[in-house]
Amino acid sequence: MRSSSTRAAAPKPPPAWKPPTRARVLRIRDRLREIYGAPLMSPHGDPLAELILTVLSQSTNDRNRDVAYLRLRARLGTWQAVRDAPLAEVEEAIRPGGISKVKSARIQAILAAISTGAGAPAWARRGQALSLDSRSGALRWLARVPVEQARDYLTSLPGVGRKTAACVLLFAYGLRDVPVDTHVSRVCMRLGLLQAGAPFEQLHDQMLALTPPGEELELHVNLLRHGRRTCHARGPDCGNCGLARMCPSRALLSPAAAPRRR
């Protein structure tokens, strides 16, 4: 019988995740800036267009998303028409964007919910504030309330989660929110910036906490670029990664690329 002293030692559990220090976040931000530059993108001021565009972006690439969006606007013209059209017509218009059956139903449900005015401030429901015409003030009241209130309203809409809400608030108005998509979450978890396995709601809170105020767009865009170009889900290019020396996951992902110990 084997004695207890000769039994293999149980593997040590991984250390508990700790939020990154500000200095570490800034070092990573600076390195990403060296690689990709500082993105210049002014808020475009059309939250409804951003909302629909973000729905169309799910499970597809940017090119197919844009084709689907332009076809939808060209064929139906106004958001009222999109809301009221036969579902099959909306589905056909956005087919290039993929999973068009799901997205078409979601878009119409969102537009129907917005047009009721439910959940919007009383002053925003007056006049044409909730008209779905692209020239109107639909959802533009979001920039006049606290970010938390705007986020809560958006996430109350059918099928709208934290990532979609963050896209609307950040890209339409430059407000303090940071979208966490699959690329951003993957890169951040590998770098130890976000807690691996945490639910997306929690990841958004963590991302917001670590992002320096005023740098929401830059950090999001550059992390996204890094996930698309280098830190792939399968076969990350650790050997050519500009963040490799800062990455605690490097040895696990690419043992051959890990620095040798002397």
Side-chain angles (χ1 to χ4, degrees), residues 195-216:
Q195 184 178 4
F200 262 87
E201 184 80 17
Q202 190 172 331
L203 292 178
H204 276 85
D205 291 339
Q206 292 174 5
M207 191 71 200
L208 197 56
L210 68 86
T211 302
E215 298 181 5
E216 297 84 5

Side-chain angles (χ1 to χ4, degrees), residues 85-229:
L87 182 61
E89 190 172 347
V90 178
E91 182 182 344
E92 173 57 30
I94 67 172
R95 194 173 300 280
I99 56 174
S100 55
K101 185 178 291 293
V102 173
K103 292 178 182 178
S104 57
R106 182 168 299 167
I107 287 169
Q108 286 195 319
I110 288 171
L111 294 174
I114 292 171
S115 64
T116 68
W123 53 265
R125 296 196 294 268
R126 300 191 189 107
Q128 297 299 311
L130 284 169
S131 168
L132 296 179
D133 191 282
S134 60
R135 295 163 295 182
S136 77
L139 296 188
R140 294 186 180 178
W141 59 269
L142 294 172
R144 298 171 59 188
V145 299
V147 173
E148 295 78 11
Q149 182 179 349
R151 184 191 300 129
D152 287 346
Y153 171 80
L154 288 169
T155 54
S156 74
L157 297 173
V160 175
R162 281 288 296 273
K163 187 200 82 169
T164 299
C167 286
V168 173
L169 298 175
L170 179 62
F171 295 121
Y173 289 125
L175 297 175
R176 181 162 170 74
D177 213 341
V178 187
V180 180
D181 64 4
T182 55
H183 298 291
V184 171
S185 63
R186 178 176 67 254
V187 174
C188 286
M189 286 180 187
R190 287 174 175 173
L191 288 169
L193 298 180
L194 296 178
Q195 184 178 4
F200 262 87
E201 184 80 17
Q202 190 172 331
L203 292 178
H204 276 85
D205 291 339
Q206 292 174 5
M207 191 71 200
L208 197 56
L210 68 86
T211 302
E215 298 181 5
E216 297 84 5
L217 178 68
E218 176 181 347
L219 200 57
H220 167 77
V221 170
N222 282 347
L223 286 167
L224 178 66
R225 287 170 172 168
H226 195 66
R228 286 177 170 175
R229 301 180 188 181

